[in-house]
Amino acid sequence: MKFTTAFTTFLTCAFATPALFASATPVAEHELVKRVVYSPHITSPTHRTIWQSGQSVNITWDTSDAPPPDQITNRYGKVEIRWDHTATPFLLASGFDILNGWVQVGVPLVETRYDYSIVLYGDGNNASADFEIDGIPSS
Ligand SMILES: *[C@@H]1O[C@H](CO)[C@@H](O)[C@H](O)[C@H]1NC(C)=O
Ligand SMILES: *[C@@H]1O[C@H](CO)[C@@H](O)[C@H](O)[C@H]1NC(C)=O
């Protein structure tokens, strides 16, 4: 009798375990929602912008046409600065919410040029116009 009880308990556990694992795997309901790629339009800097090295500035973008949050594939934004359209970009900020519409960054210590641009990545990406940074005089 005692043996039977113990054996029954063992069997119950043995069979219950796979079921527990199965129910622990969440059904990916959200994958059924239509996903969209959101590439926001940068509103600052513009071609008239002049930044100074060392300054704190805001990069801003239009969120008025943003899709509902649950339809955006990747809400974590990243901004890079590039110049000359070919040079390796430099990371300015990452991990912010793309739906905020702005992120404050420090202007890096760079040489004065007129062809800097910002690239904003959400799940899509978009670039600003070229703008000026007054930086370290080139020697
Ligand atoms: C990128 O931004 C420009 C304006 O700077 C806008 O006209 C264009 O629609 C944007 N691209 C995408 C894919 O949203
Ligand atoms: C950036 O924008 C935020 C929100 O509007 C504001 O609190 C902050 O002072 C701004 N930073 C700069 C450098 O303008």
Side-chain angles (χ1 to χ4, degrees):
M1 198 56 160
K2 266 194 173 150
F3 173 76
T4 310
T5 308
F7 187 66
T8 307
T9 306
F10 170 76
L11 278 182
T12 308
C13 289
F15 285 104
T17 307
L20 279 177
F21 279 124
S23 66
T25 307
V27 177
E29 274 176 57
H30 61 276
E31 283 175 15
L32 301 175
V33 175
K34 184 175 166 262
R35 293 292 169 153
V36 291
V37 170
Y38 171 47
S39 301
H41 167 202
I42 297 172
T43 49
S44 180
T46 68
H47 69 282
R48 275 192 282 252
T49 298
I50 301 175
W51 286 350
Q52 318 288 327
S53 277
Q55 208 183 11
S56 280
V57 294
N58 274 346
I59 295 164
T60 61
W61 57 93
D62 187 12
T63 56
S64 64
D65 59 349
D70 67 347
Q71 290 179 23
I72 299 176
T73 314
N74 173 26
R75 269 179 71 174
Y76 293 101
K78 182 174 87 167
V79 283
E80 290 179 346
I81 189 165
R82 62 179 186 180
W83 54 97
D84 193 26
H85 297 266
T86 53
T88 308
F90 177 87
L91 181 68
L92 283 182
S94 63
F96 53 86
D97 188 340
I98 199 78
L99 296 179
N100 282 353
W102 64 277
V103 62
Q104 184 173 305
V105 299
V107 181
L109 300 175
V110 290
E111 68 177 40
T112 299
R113 296 184 69 107
Y114 308 92
D115 59 354
Y116 288 100
S117 58
I118 292 296
V119 186
L120 173 66
Y121 297 86
D123 36 18
N125 63 67
N126 210 345
S128 74
D130 284 7
F131 65 96
E132 178 179 343
I133 296 180
D134 288 346
I136 306 159
S138 48
S139 47

